[in-house]
């Protein structure tokens, strides 16, 4: 018998995922917060997945990465960040961004 939670499908709505209570299926350390490509992940694992994910748009001259849900705030450097499945925010400088659009 394992105490680790089963991975949650990325298709679940944020209100259906036990945010802050279930452990990240990748690292098994931090609570899940954001929908990754395959499963819900903690903020650190989500940032790692997005950093190393396929980025075909990087070949475009006008490409700007819009998703920066990282474990540290890029604006002030604080680690006081949180997420709720749709939004990521920094409690220090109040920077807030939408992480995933509806239906993604």
């Amino acid at each position: 018998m394992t105490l680790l939670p089963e991975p949650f499908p990325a298709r679940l709505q944020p209100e259906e995922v036990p945010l802050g209570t279930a452990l990240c299926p990748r690292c098994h350390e931090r609570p899940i917060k954001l929908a990754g490509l395959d499963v819900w992940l903690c903020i650190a694992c989500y940032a790692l997945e997005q950093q190393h994910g396929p980025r075909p748009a990087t070949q475009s001259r006008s490409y700007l990465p819009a998703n920066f849900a990282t474990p540290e705030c890029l604006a002030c450097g604080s680690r006081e960040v949180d997420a709720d499945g749709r939004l990521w925010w920094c409690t220090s400088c109040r920077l807030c961004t939408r992480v995933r659009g509806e239906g993604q």
Side-chain angles (χ1 to χ4, degrees):
M1 180 174 154
T2 180
L3 298 177
L4 300 174
E6 293 296 317
F8 293 93
R11 301 258 187 261
L12 286 178
Q13 293 298 316
E15 57 271 8
E16 298 173 330
V17 178
L19 298 175
T21 58
L23 293 178
C24 173
R26 178 179 279 170
C27 70
H28 305 291
E29 295 175 13
R30 294 172 292 270
I32 58 176
K33 292 287 185 175
L34 299 167
L37 297 178
D38 297 318
V39 295
W40 285 76
L41 302 169
C42 67
I43 294 175
C45 289
Y46 177 87
L48 186 64
E49 179 181 88
Q50 297 299 315
Q51 178 185 5
H52 296 294
R55 297 218 182 248
T58 56
Q59 303 304 319
S60 170
R61 291 181 296 176
S62 62
Y63 172 74
L64 290 174
N67 191 341
F68 54 90
T70 59
E72 302 87 20
C73 178
L74 296 178
C76 70
S78 171
R79 294 187 65 87
E80 296 296 318
V81 298
D82 205 350
D84 67 359
R86 287 190 175 102
L87 297 175
W88 172 96
W89 63 88
C90 173
T91 56
S92 296
C93 69
R94 299 178 188 255
L95 176 68
C96 183
T97 183
R98 188 176 73 180
V99 178
R100 290 200 170 267
E102 293 296 323
Q104 290 184 347

